[in-house]
Each structure stands twice: as structure tokens, then as C-alpha cells.
Amino acid sequence: MSAKSPSDEVVHDLASKPATLVKEDLYDEESVDPVYRAKAHILNQALQEIGMGKYQWGLFIVAGFGWFSDSVWPLVTGLILSPVLNEFHFNGPFLSLATNIGLLVGAILWSFGCDIWGRRWSFNLTLFIGSVFGIAMGGSPTFVALASLAAVSSVGVGGNMPVDSAVFLDFIPSSHQYLLTILSIWWAIGQLLGSLLAWPLIANFSCAPSGPCARSDNMGWRYLVFTLGGLMLLLAFARLFAFPLYESPRYLLGRGYDREAVVVVREIARYNETETNITVEDLREAARSAEEKESAHKWRVLSENSTWTAKHVRALFATKKMAWSTSLLIWIWGLIGLASTLYNNFLPYLLASRGAKFQDATYFTTYRNQVIISVIGIPSALLAGWLIELPYVGRRGTLAVSAGEMTSLNDPRANPGLTGAFLFASTTARSSPALLGWNCGYAFFSNIMYGVLYAASPEVFPANHRGTGNGLTATATRVFGVLAPIIALYANLNTAAPVYIAGGLIIGAGGLALLLPFEPRGRASI
């Protein structure tokens, strides 16, 4: 047994305090900056002492607004597509292309940016930009104006999930990290509310699918965009004025601002009406001990100024294990991003080409079915939060099974998994009830898949480079998301191959999940 370092003794002394549970660190000693890791131990202990109080539950709500926005605006693009096509007469995938380009720019800008200028600006501006330009979409006089405003709105939306997941994880105690997965319930609520609003508005205030379509007869999609944009603006103001978001103490710690980090932790304790004994000297003592122990290595990756450099990326590939983890996550995100967008772009054409022209294919039926599918996401978010804490399952197992690999760690036989299986099955639908049934299954398990993926990714990135890590994965899924509508524009729309490829990609992503080297279950993310 190796001797404990002085920094280990500091952590041990803090851990011995009553009513405090300290999880084992997610990383080994060679995976992250040793000085940052030593300080993070102290910070984790302080947050655990404070517990899951009023501040963290308030953050659960306002961070959930980001999940809500990320769900609503991409969904709106699909909800309004049919009436917009009737009014403006354009090639449908171009609207999806504009939206995905905006999402790509937003993912890059805000994810990498929150490691430069901090979490607070990104956290508040993303929601505000998305809502303001989202409202403006409703006044679009032409398709070019609509696509341009959708792209700019998506620049804000694209940063919501990467930034908000980092913010939430930075403030909660390690005993409640599973709540990051349950935050996906806000994503399901966004889909449900968007579908509920679209059902009466588009069904009752839209042109007939064929024939002339004047703006005055086709106001349903505009009413929908105005309503959702106004709601998102209210949520943005709630973030700005109703909740006192402090700068992330983990971000400050990564910058070397120890005193400021301690001040924030004490403010959180005061807000929660509790106390913490963390001091600047605790952090400095841990840092000195780590420097003495690791003086031979000198591979420092702490941020030292407010400029972005390749150091942020290099830190995520600094060791073989960290590089393997980061690379796998990028591929998983990219494959799932391409698969889901391919599926959404090609399935309608596939069903039409195979004679699946339903007699009840009205606006009323379409949006009623969308509401039913959206309801499915709420229980799946709660189930995901339970599954990831099960022994021998955890994040990797839940992601693998929900995405594409029905296998156990003791059984090497891989079979088509749940999301991928329902995606394949949807191509067999020849009636509206059949398509609805397969899509309900697809929605249930894909919501579990995304809930785990959105949580596990920030958990395995160290907080001082979490924005950059989230940026790499979000960029991967957005890049492939841009490719999908381009494929839809130029590919043969009468073949089932793209949908089958999408199913295969999701199953492959599930297999890659089993290879992830870090399992956050039962361990503290730093």
C-alpha cells in the first residue's frame, strides 16, 4: 500500500467530519492535472458539506430551461415545416440545414467560450438570443428571412445543453450527480408543450395541404413561434433577474482564483442557510502538497488567463486513458447526431414511396400523434435517472442498452438494441397506428439514450476544461447534423438505405459506449 500524500491527509481530515460522504475520485492520479485534482478534492468536500439545498434545486429549474429550449426550437422546425412549405414553396431540407448550421456555430462559440470568459455570460446569453430571434421568425416575409432567423436563433440554442450541463454539474454535490440525467425531463416537457401548442394552432389556422396559401390563411405556425418565443423570453428574464447565478467555483479554481472560488462556495452555503469551513489556505496547502509530489512530471494544464489556447484541448488528450475517453465520446456523439437527423429527414419520404399514405393524415392527426409521442419522454427521463445508479449498469450500461447493444459485461454476444431496433421497425409501418407505435418506442428509448449521453459527457471531463470537452462532442454531433439534410437534398429519397444506415449507426454508438474507460457511477466528477 502506497503512503498517503499530504494532500490526501487534508482530504481525509475533511472527510472525517460528521454527516459527510465523499465519493472516490473519478480520475486516477495520472489522468488530470495533479494540482487541480488536489484542489478539487477540497472543493468537492465543501459542496458535499453544503448538500443539495435551495441553491442547487433552484439551479435544477433554471438550468432545465436550457434543456427546454434545446428541445423546443429544433422541434419547431419540424412542426412548422408543412405549413411553411405550403406558403413559401421551397425545398424542405434547406430549413433543417439552416437550423443545423446555427446549432453548429452555437455549439462551438458557447462551449469553448465558457472556458474563456466563464459560465455566467454563456449561461444567460444563449437563452436570450434563442428567444429573441425565435420570436422574430414569426414575422418572416420570405423563406430566406425565415431560414436566416432560424439559423441565428439556433446559434443561441446550440450552446444551451453544453453550457447548462457544465454549470449544473459544477455546483451540485457528488452524491447528486445523477440529477444531471434527470434534467432531461425538461427536454421531454419542452417537446410536450411544443406539440400541445402546435396541435390546435396549426390544425386550426393553416392552409389546406393543396391549393393556394395566403399568409392571412396560414397564421398557425406564426402563432406557434410567437408563443414559444415569448415563453422562452420570460424564462431568459427569470434566469437573469430571479436567480442569483454565481460564477462556477470549479471554473474559478481552474483559473487559479482560489479566493474567489472560496467566496462563491460560502455564498452558496449562506443561500442554503448552512455553513462550510473551506478556506483559501486549505486549497493552497493541497496545491503545495501536490506540487511537491508531482514535481518530476510538470505537466500543468491549469488555465492561467482569459484566452483560449490549444492547451484546453491538449488537456483532454494528455494521457492515453483520457485521450481514449475523449475520442470515444466524440465518435458516439457524431454517430448519434448523424443517425437521428438522417432518420428524421428520410423517413417521411420512405413511407410515402412504399405506399404508406394514411387516410387520416390530417394536421389534427399529425399533431395529436406528436403529443402522444412527446408524453413518452417524461417517464423515460425518470427511468434513466434510476438506471444509471444501478450496480453493474451505470452510465455505460444504460447508454449501451438504450442506444444499440443489448448485452451485459459478462456476455460478449451483441444484439440489436432498443433505439436502433425501433428505428428499423418504423420502416415497416403501413398505417398511422403502426407508425405511432414504433415511434413511441423509438422516442422512449432515445430519450433515455440522450439523457444519459448529455449527463455522462460533462461528468467525465475535468471542470477546468469541461466547456471545451462539451464543445468537442457538441461540435461532432452538429457537424454530422449539417451533413444529414445535405444528404437528403441530393440522395435518392426512394430507398430505405439511409434509414437502415441510421439504425446501424445508433447500434454502433451503443457498442462504443461499452468501451468508455471512465464510469461516473459512484465516483465524484471534478
Side-chain angles (χ1 to χ4, degrees):
M1 181 178 296
S2 60
K4 291 184 178 180
S5 68
S7 61
D8 291 331
E9 294 292 346
V10 173
V11 175
H12 175 75
D13 291 342
L14 289 170
S16 63
K17 295 179 179 180
T20 303
L21 298 175
V22 182
K23 286 188 176 183
E24 183 182 353
D25 186 10
L26 175 62
Y27 311 101
D28 55 41
E29 293 184 357
E30 297 181 354
S31 294
V32 297
D33 185 310
V35 173
Y36 174 78
R37 179 173 178 264
K39 289 182 179 182
H41 278 303
I42 309 301
L43 183 62
N44 274 352
Q45 176 60 35
L47 291 173
Q48 191 66 47
E49 286 179 331
I50 293 171
M52 191 71 187
K54 290 189 299 182
Y55 188 85
Q56 286 80 7
W57 286 116
L59 188 59
F60 181 87
I61 295 173
V62 296
F65 296 165
W67 267 253
F68 186 93
S69 176
D70 188 83
S71 170
V72 163
W73 288 117
L75 175 67
V76 163
T77 303
L79 291 175
I80 69 174
L81 181 60
S82 181
V84 167
L85 279 171
N86 289 337
E87 183 175 339
F88 293 137
H89 305 290
F90 61 95
N91 201 341
F94 277 114
L95 183 57
S96 176
L97 177 61
T99 300
N100 279 282
I101 289 174
L103 292 172
L104 170 60
V105 174
I108 296 172
L109 173 65
W110 301 110
S111 301
F112 291 98
C114 75
D115 275 346
I116 303 171
W117 53 68
R119 312 287 201 245
R120 293 178 66 187
W121 280 102
S122 300
F123 187 76
N124 289 318
L125 286 177
T126 49
L127 203 61
F128 187 76
I129 291 172
S131 61
V132 169
F133 287 96
I135 293 173
M137 286 169 57
S140 302
T142 64
F143 167 70
V144 173
L146 174 63
S148 300
L149 290 169
V152 178
S153 174
S154 297
V155 171
V157 175
N160 277 316
M161 296 291 284
V163 173
D164 294 4
S165 61
V167 169
F168 184 69
L169 190 59
D170 283 355
F171 282 95
I172 59 174
S174 59
S175 58
H176 288 73
Q177 285 177 194
Y178 68 91
L179 289 174
L180 187 57
T181 297
I182 295 181
L183 263 175
S184 64
I185 196 171
W186 285 96
W187 200 89
I189 292 171
Q191 282 215 326
L192 177 58
L193 181 60
S195 301
L196 282 171
L197 290 172
W199 187 2
L201 292 176
I202 295 182
N204 295 314
F205 300 98
S206 297
C207 300
S210 59
C213 185
R215 172 172 176 164
S216 58
D217 299 324
N218 199 45
M219 291 296 293
W221 71 268
R222 298 178 189 273
Y223 295 151
L224 175 64
V225 171
F226 287 143
T227 303
L228 290 173
L231 174 60
M232 294 309 305
L233 187 59
L234 289 176
L235 297 182
F237 283 135
R239 271 192 178 183
L240 283 169
F241 303 114
F243 185 79
L245 180 70
Y246 304 112
E247 184 54 85
S248 162
R250 297 183 194 274
Y251 166 80
L252 294 171
L253 204 66
R255 290 287 184 195
Y257 301 149
D258 295 351
R259 186 175 301 278
E260 290 83 350
V262 169
V263 169
V264 168
V265 173
R266 289 178 175 173
E267 283 297 311
I268 296 171
R270 183 185 60 81
Y271 192 94
N272 285 357
E273 299 178 354
T274 185
E275 295 181 356
T276 178
N277 295 320
I278 188 173
T279 65
V280 176
E281 186 56 34
D282 290 334
L283 297 176
R284 291 176 178 173
E285 175 61 27
R288 285 193 293 268
S289 300
E291 286 175 343
E292 292 174 3
K293 182 180 179 182
E294 301 293 337
S295 59
H297 296 302
K298 294 187 181 299
W299 66 279
R300 299 294 304 281
V301 294
L302 286 177
S303 306
E304 296 174 354
N305 52 52
S306 58
T307 58
W308 191 90
T309 68
K311 181 184 293 185
H312 288 279
V313 174
R314 287 200 302 268
L316 301 176
F317 295 87
T319 66
K320 290 182 178 179
K321 190 172 183 179
M322 185 63 76
W324 178 242
S325 175
T326 303
S327 300
L328 281 177
L329 284 170
I330 290 172
W331 275 106
I332 291 171
W333 275 91
L335 291 175
I336 290 178
L338 177 59
S340 60
T341 315
L342 271 178
Y343 174 73
N344 293 330
N345 276 276
F346 276 94
L347 185 62
Y349 298 102
L350 174 66
L351 295 176
S353 68
R354 293 198 169 187
K357 297 178 179 179
F358 311 137
Q359 298 300 315
D360 59 348
T362 63
Y363 279 142
F364 181 89
T365 303
T366 298
Y367 292 101
R368 179 206 65 191
N369 290 354
Q370 182 63 43
V371 168
I372 294 172
I373 292 170
S374 299
V375 171
I376 297 296
I378 295 177
S380 65
L382 299 175
L383 178 60
W386 176 70
L387 288 172
I388 62 171
E389 291 297 305
L390 289 180
Y392 309 109
V393 179
R395 275 69 162 169
R396 287 181 298 194
T398 304
L399 180 57
V401 172
S402 62
E405 294 296 329
M406 294 181 65
T407 181
S408 69
L409 298 180
N410 297 319
D411 183 1
R413 297 170 297 175
N415 302 291
L418 299 174
T419 300
F422 278 101
L423 191 152
F424 281 135
S426 66
T427 64
T428 67
R430 295 296 182 272
S431 67
S432 183
L435 180 60
L436 175 60
W438 292 127
N439 276 337
C440 283
Y442 172 78
F444 183 83
F445 291 106
S446 65
N447 281 343
I448 293 177
M449 175 184 71
Y450 275 112
V452 178
L453 191 59
Y454 273 121
S457 297
E459 280 185 302
V460 299
F461 293 128
N464 52 331
H465 303 288
R466 186 167 287 148
T468 299
N470 286 349
L472 292 174
T473 56
T475 299
T477 196
R478 299 310 186 189
V479 166
F480 283 105
V482 169
L483 291 177
I486 294 176
I487 295 171
L489 285 168
Y490 298 104
N492 179 7
L493 300 180
N494 295 319
T495 174
V499 176
Y500 293 138
I501 291 172
L505 290 174
I506 289 181
I507 291 173
L512 291 179
L514 292 173
L515 302 178
L516 290 169
F518 295 113
E519 171 52 65
R521 180 193 168 276
R523 296 173 181 269
S525 178
I526 62 171

